[in-house]
């Protein structure tokens, strides 16, 4: 992950993971999924698919497989807690990893691309958090004082080394 190619490949592989996850979520709706949740998760699924397809076109040098396989056998797709818990983890960890990857990029166009993608992922993270607040009866942002609960006192999201994100999410990848 110490190069532009490595960071772009991380984004591509992680986006494939998220696109696959959200496709499963929308085709296997959990018990009690509200219309708001269904509409929102379907929109997110479309965004992840579009991001995956865009990255497939953009990342041409040394690109990882276009057909990564995933294992979500530990996810109970009939359970809101299971689905929304993993959704929040995927989004938060993805944002932190892209923030960490940004420090390693040398090409300005790659940094702009990463910035565009991470901003969408951060908004998705906040949206999932809003849905969880609503489901808990807390209303939108009732208990938060910032855009994202993961922000520090300066309003910045954390930065994590992409390798740490891969280690955390490795159990969901069948393809290594």
């Amino acid at each position: 992950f110490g190069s532009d190619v490595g960071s772009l490949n991380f984004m591509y592989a992680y986006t494939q993971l998220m696109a696959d996850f959200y496709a499963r979520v929308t085709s296997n709706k959990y018990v009690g999924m509200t219309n708001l949740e269904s509409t929102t998760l379907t929109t997110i699924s479309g965004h992840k698919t579009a991001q995956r397809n865009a990255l497939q076109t953009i990342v041409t040098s040394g690109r990882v497989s276009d057909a990564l396989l995933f294992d979500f056998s530990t996810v109970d797709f009939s359970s809101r807690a299971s689905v929304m818990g993993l959704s929040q983890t995927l989004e938060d960890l993805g944002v932190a990893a892209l923030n960490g990857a940004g420090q390693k990029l040398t090409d300005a166009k790659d940094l702009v691309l990463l910035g565009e993608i991470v901003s969408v992922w951060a908004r998705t993270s906040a949206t999932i958090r809003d849905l969880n607040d609503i489901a808990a009866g807390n209303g939108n942002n009732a208990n938060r004082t910032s855009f994202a609960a993961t922000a520090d006192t300066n309003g910045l999201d954390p930065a994590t080394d992409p390798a740490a994100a891969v280690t955390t999410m490795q159990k969901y990848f069948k393809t290594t």
Side-chain angles (χ1 to χ4, degrees):
F1 303 113
S3 69
D4 286 42
V5 170
S7 293
L8 292 172
N9 269 306
F10 167 78
M11 275 193 294
Y12 181 47
Y14 203 83
T15 301
Q16 285 186 63
L17 172 74
M18 290 194 297
D20 189 275
F21 171 72
Y22 285 111
R24 292 174 195 232
V25 168
T26 57
S27 65
N28 300 296
K29 296 182 180 193
Y30 53 78
V31 176
M33 184 181 286
T34 67
N35 287 336
L36 175 63
E37 290 169 337
S38 179
T39 300
T40 302
L41 292 169
T42 299
T43 300
I44 291 169
S45 180
H47 289 170
K48 298 304 179 184
T49 299
Q51 289 169 3
R52 180 199 62 213
N53 295 344
L55 285 167
Q56 183 179 27
T57 301
I58 294 166
V59 181
T60 56
S61 176
R63 184 174 70 220
V64 298
S65 173
D66 293 333
L68 296 177
L69 300 175
F70 305 101
D71 178 5
F72 293 109
S73 61
T74 60
V75 179
D76 179 358
F77 284 96
S78 69
S79 163
R80 184 189 191 287
S82 181
V83 167
M84 296 302 278
L86 181 56
S87 180
Q88 194 69 70
T89 297
L90 285 170
E91 299 300 338
D92 288 347
L93 188 60
V95 168
L98 291 186
N99 286 340
Q103 302 170 37
K104 300 175 182 190
L105 296 175
T106 58
D107 188 323
K109 71 176 176 37
D110 292 339
L111 186 58
V112 168
L113 173 65
L114 181 139
E116 291 170 348
I117 290 175
V118 76
S119 69
V120 173
W121 289 9
R123 288 191 300 273
T124 302
S125 174
T127 299
I128 297 297
R129 197 166 273 106
D130 285 347
L131 291 175
N132 287 331
D133 282 350
I134 291 167
N138 297 327
N140 263 356
N141 302 316
N143 298 319
R144 284 188 267 140
T145 58
S146 67
F147 176 68
T150 55
D152 65 17
T153 56
N154 296 316
L156 301 174
D157 273 328
T160 301
D161 190 302
V166 168
T167 299
T168 301
M169 303 317 294
Q170 186 173 356
K171 67 182 177 181
Y172 299 111
F173 282 86
K174 279 186 184 176
T175 307
T176 58

mmCIF file of all heavy atoms in Angstrom, residues 1-4 6-7 9-10 101 104 161-164 166:
data_model
loop_
_atom_site.group_PDB
_atom_site.id
_atom_site.type_symbol
_atom_site.label_atom_id
_atom_site.label_comp_id
_atom_site.label_asym_id
_atom_site.label_seq_id
_atom_site.Cartn_x
_atom_site.Cartn_y
_atom_site.Cartn_z
ATOM 1 N N PHE A 1 0.812 -1.209 0.000
ATOM 2 C CA PHE A 1 0.000 0.000 0.000
ATOM 3 C C PHE A 1 0.848 1.263 0.000
ATOM 4 O O PHE A 1 0.320 2.341 0.194
ATOM 5 C CB PHE A 1 -0.940 0.008 1.205
ATOM 6 C CG PHE A 1 -1.834 -1.196 1.248
ATOM 7 C CD1 PHE A 1 -1.691 -2.133 2.243
ATOM 8 C CD2 PHE A 1 -2.790 -1.400 0.266
ATOM 9 C CE1 PHE A 1 -2.511 -3.248 2.290
ATOM 10 C CE2 PHE A 1 -3.616 -2.518 0.305
ATOM 11 C CZ PHE A 1 -3.471 -3.441 1.325
ATOM 12 N N GLY A 2 2.136 1.126 -0.207
ATOM 13 C CA GLY A 2 3.027 2.271 -0.147
ATOM 14 C C GLY A 2 3.158 3.025 -1.452
ATOM 15 O O GLY A 2 4.022 3.883 -1.581
ATOM 16 N N SER A 3 2.300 2.736 -2.420
ATOM 17 C CA SER A 3 2.380 3.405 -3.716
ATOM 18 C C SER A 3 0.974 3.777 -4.177
ATOM 19 O O SER A 3 -0.018 3.323 -3.621
ATOM 20 C CB SER A 3 3.029 2.471 -4.746
ATOM 21 O OG SER A 3 2.152 1.383 -5.031
ATOM 22 N N ASP A 4 0.921 4.577 -5.225
ATOM 23 C CA ASP A 4 -0.371 4.934 -5.801
ATOM 24 C C ASP A 4 -1.106 3.683 -6.295
ATOM 25 O O ASP A 4 -2.303 3.522 -6.048
ATOM 26 C CB ASP A 4 -0.186 5.924 -6.950
ATOM 27 C CG ASP A 4 0.173 7.318 -6.471
ATOM 28 O OD1 ASP A 4 0.997 7.439 -5.538
ATOM 29 O OD2 ASP A 4 -0.378 8.281 -7.018
ATOM 30 N N GLY A 6 -0.815 0.580 -5.286
ATOM 31 C CA GLY A 6 -1.271 -0.198 -4.136
ATOM 32 C C GLY A 6 -2.502 0.406 -3.488
ATOM 33 O O GLY A 6 -3.452 -0.299 -3.141
ATOM 34 N N SER A 7 -2.498 1.728 -3.328
ATOM 35 C CA SER A 7 -3.644 2.406 -2.715
ATOM 36 C C SER A 7 -4.878 2.322 -3.602
ATOM 37 O O SER A 7 -5.995 2.108 -3.119
ATOM 38 C CB SER A 7 -3.301 3.873 -2.425
ATOM 39 O OG SER A 7 -2.316 3.944 -1.424
ATOM 40 N N ASN A 9 -5.492 -0.026 -5.799
ATOM 41 C CA ASN A 9 -5.946 -1.412 -5.760
ATOM 42 C C ASN A 9 -6.693 -1.709 -4.469
ATOM 43 O O ASN A 9 -7.669 -2.450 -4.472
ATOM 44 C CB ASN A 9 -4.774 -2.372 -5.936
ATOM 45 C CG ASN A 9 -4.555 -2.718 -7.386
ATOM 46 O OD1 ASN A 9 -5.466 -3.153 -8.066
ATOM 47 N ND2 ASN A 9 -3.340 -2.515 -7.858
ATOM 48 N N PHE A 10 -6.241 -1.122 -3.370
ATOM 49 C CA PHE A 10 -6.978 -1.277 -2.115
ATOM 50 C C PHE A 10 -8.392 -0.730 -2.287
ATOM 51 O O PHE A 10 -9.373 -1.393 -1.929
ATOM 52 C CB PHE A 10 -6.274 -0.568 -0.950
ATOM 53 C CG PHE A 10 -7.177 -0.460 0.242
ATOM 54 C CD1 PHE A 10 -7.385 -1.551 1.068
ATOM 55 C CD2 PHE A 10 -7.860 0.712 0.510
ATOM 56 C CE1 PHE A 10 -8.255 -1.470 2.148
ATOM 57 C CE2 PHE A 10 -8.729 0.808 1.587
ATOM 58 C CZ PHE A 10 -8.928 -0.284 2.415
ATOM 59 N N ALA A 101 -4.451 6.064 3.343
ATOM 60 C CA ALA A 101 -3.835 5.871 2.022
ATOM 61 C C ALA A 101 -3.474 7.201 1.381
ATOM 62 O O ALA A 101 -2.491 7.301 0.639
ATOM 63 C CB ALA A 101 -4.783 5.093 1.110
ATOM 64 N N LYS A 104 0.042 8.471 1.331
ATOM 65 C CA LYS A 104 1.051 7.727 0.577
ATOM 66 C C LYS A 104 1.016 8.017 -0.916
ATOM 67 O O LYS A 104 1.871 7.567 -1.656
ATOM 68 C CB LYS A 104 0.864 6.233 0.818
ATOM 69 C CG LYS A 104 1.010 5.870 2.287
ATOM 70 C CD LYS A 104 0.717 4.424 2.535
ATOM 71 C CE LYS A 104 0.834 4.161 4.034
ATOM 72 N NZ LYS A 104 0.789 2.784 4.371
ATOM 73 N N ASP A 161 -3.896 2.794 8.552
ATOM 74 C CA ASP A 161 -3.142 2.180 7.470
ATOM 75 C C ASP A 161 -4.054 1.188 6.736
ATOM 76 O O ASP A 161 -4.728 0.380 7.380
ATOM 77 C CB ASP A 161 -1.925 1.452 8.051
ATOM 78 C CG ASP A 161 -0.971 0.997 6.980
ATOM 79 O OD1 ASP A 161 -1.403 0.234 6.074
ATOM 80 O OD2 ASP A 161 0.198 1.398 7.012
ATOM 81 N N PRO A 162 -4.097 1.248 5.414
ATOM 82 C CA PRO A 162 -4.946 0.308 4.670
ATOM 83 C C PRO A 162 -4.668 -1.153 5.008
ATOM 84 O O PRO A 162 -5.584 -1.978 5.000
ATOM 85 C CB PRO A 162 -4.634 0.610 3.205
ATOM 86 C CG PRO A 162 -4.195 2.033 3.210
ATOM 87 C CD PRO A 162 -3.456 2.210 4.516
ATOM 88 N N ALA A 163 -3.425 -1.482 5.339
ATOM 89 C CA ALA A 163 -3.096 -2.871 5.691
ATOM 90 C C ALA A 163 -3.872 -3.318 6.928
ATOM 91 O O ALA A 163 -4.296 -4.474 7.015
ATOM 92 C CB ALA A 163 -1.592 -3.012 5.916
ATOM 93 N N ALA A 164 -4.086 -2.411 7.873
ATOM 94 C CA ALA A 164 -4.875 -2.745 9.067
ATOM 95 C C ALA A 164 -6.324 -3.015 8.695
ATOM 96 O O ALA A 164 -6.966 -3.911 9.253
ATOM 97 C CB ALA A 164 -4.778 -1.619 10.092
ATOM 98 N N VAL A 166 -7.349 -4.194 5.818
ATOM 99 C CA VAL A 166 -7.359 -5.495 5.142
ATOM 100 C C VAL A 166 -7.336 -6.610 6.185
ATOM 101 O O VAL A 166 -8.087 -7.587 6.079
ATOM 102 C CB VAL A 166 -6.173 -5.624 4.161
ATOM 103 C CG1 VAL A 166 -6.016 -7.051 3.675
ATOM 104 C CG2 VAL A 166 -6.363 -4.681 2.987
#
